[in-house]
Amino acid sequence: MSTELSAQAIVDNLAAVHQQIEQSAKRAGRDPAEITLVAVSKTKPMAAIEAAYAAGQRDFGENRLEELWEKVEAAQRLGLEEIRWHMIGTIQSRKTNLVIGPFALIHSVDRLKIAQRLSRDATAAECVLSVLLEVNVSGEESKHGFTAESVRACAAELFALPALQIKGLMTMAPFVADAEETRPVFQALRQLRDALHAQQPSARLPHLSMGMTNDFPIAIEEGATLVRVGSAIFGSRTP
């Protein structure tokens, strides 16, 4: 169950988030245009997505494949043809075939087995998937992802998969009262990206997907190119 906001509230929230993105980018000496806001619309109705779309938002993130596909189909019926869908949730190995679709980016490739199965399914569908490798930088047991050591150990195998274009890395920082405490996590992801690039010089790894509602300004200061913001736009979600 979620707390639903009016269309005007969503428009106002989007404007406020964009202002924060611009301010954070300027503090870091970055161009705000380098940063893509992914509006996390999981559990939210299509009316909320329509309101954000009308305000110019085009990138939306979902974490459940079934819900994502329902919204893809609904958006097509509604004529929201410019939406770029992002899969940000955990992918079960038995559902990798459901990730073969019109998605801009898959943020959550969290282990070698998933990467291999996605490549297999994409090869069968004669397509190439744009993906990010999810890394559990913080080491929290509740979070999915490669460790920094494991992603480096299997980097050659990952980058050799024929139907995946690995575009960068994703992480989630711990939820803490003081967002400043998340900075080392984001710094570590950026440093890992640079190490992987040195290890695989032919790889292009432009993206760091990091930062959510409570910490995205810090993530931007540390190099995020994609921030995943939900409740700051659409209102809080309740269990």
Side-chain angles (χ1 to χ4, degrees):
M1 185 180 297
S2 4
T3 302
E4 308 305 348
L5 299 183
S6 69
Q8 187 58 54
I10 290 171
V11 171
D12 293 344
N13 286 347
L14 264 175
V17 170
H18 278 292
Q19 184 176 35
Q20 286 181 279
I21 289 172
E22 183 172 353
Q23 291 170 346
S24 299
K26 288 182 175 178
R27 280 197 301 271
R30 299 180 62 196
D31 181 353
E34 297 173 0
I35 298 135
T36 297
L37 170 62
V38 179
V40 178
S41 48
K42 63 182 182 180
T43 77
K44 296 299 179 180
M46 283 304 300
I49 293 174
E50 285 184 272
Y53 186 92
Q57 181 64 29
R58 292 295 181 267
D59 292 270
F60 292 86
E62 292 285 333
N63 74 332
R64 290 182 60 253
L65 282 165
E66 293 82 358
E67 183 180 355
L68 174 54
W69 274 108
E70 289 173 3
K71 287 177 174 175
V72 167
E73 294 168 2
Q76 291 171 345
R77 291 194 300 271
L78 292 166
L80 310 182
E81 298 175 356
E82 296 178 2
I83 285 184
R84 294 180 290 270
W85 293 104
H86 296 247
M87 175 56 190
I88 62 175
T90 301
I91 302 166
Q92 297 175 353
S93 58
R94 61 187 174 86
K95 293 185 177 182
T96 52
N97 63 309
L98 294 179
V99 187
I100 310 303
F103 308 136
L105 190 60
I106 300 160
H107 293 231
S108 48
V109 177
D110 61 0
R111 57 196 190 278
L112 178 60
K113 178 182 178 180
I114 294 297
Q116 291 169 330
R117 293 198 176 196
L118 286 173
S119 182
R120 176 201 66 189
D121 293 342
T123 298
E126 299 183 339
C127 68
V128 176
L129 301 177
S130 295
V131 307
L132 304 178
L133 303 177
E134 181 176 356
V135 184
N136 183 358
V137 175
S138 69
E140 287 183 280
E141 291 184 6
S142 61
K143 289 186 167 55
H144 295 269
F146 291 93
T147 64
E149 295 77 16
S150 67
V151 77
R152 293 192 66 177
C154 62
E157 194 168 355
L158 285 164
F159 285 98
L161 291 169
L164 299 188
Q165 286 189 347
I166 299 173
K167 300 285 192 178
L169 306 178
M170 182 271 257
T171 200
M172 289 186 286
F175 187 88
V176 291
D178 181 2
E180 185 63 34
E181 295 178 17
T182 64
R183 192 179 296 275
V185 173
F186 301 139
Q187 290 173 340
L189 192 74
R190 186 185 71 243
Q191 291 163 1
L192 177 60
R193 188 269 310 273
D194 295 345
L196 280 172
H197 190 264
Q199 188 175 335
Q200 300 285 328
S202 61
R204 292 183 177 273
L205 301 170
H207 289 304
L208 293 174
S209 174
M210 55 190 195
M212 298 187 289
T213 289
N214 60 307
D215 55 22
F216 73 87
I218 302 294
I220 289 169
E221 292 176 11
E222 294 301 332
T225 62
L226 298 130
V227 293
R228 310 178 307 273
V229 180
S231 56
I233 298 170
F234 296 114
S236 61
R237 287 181 292 274
T238 55

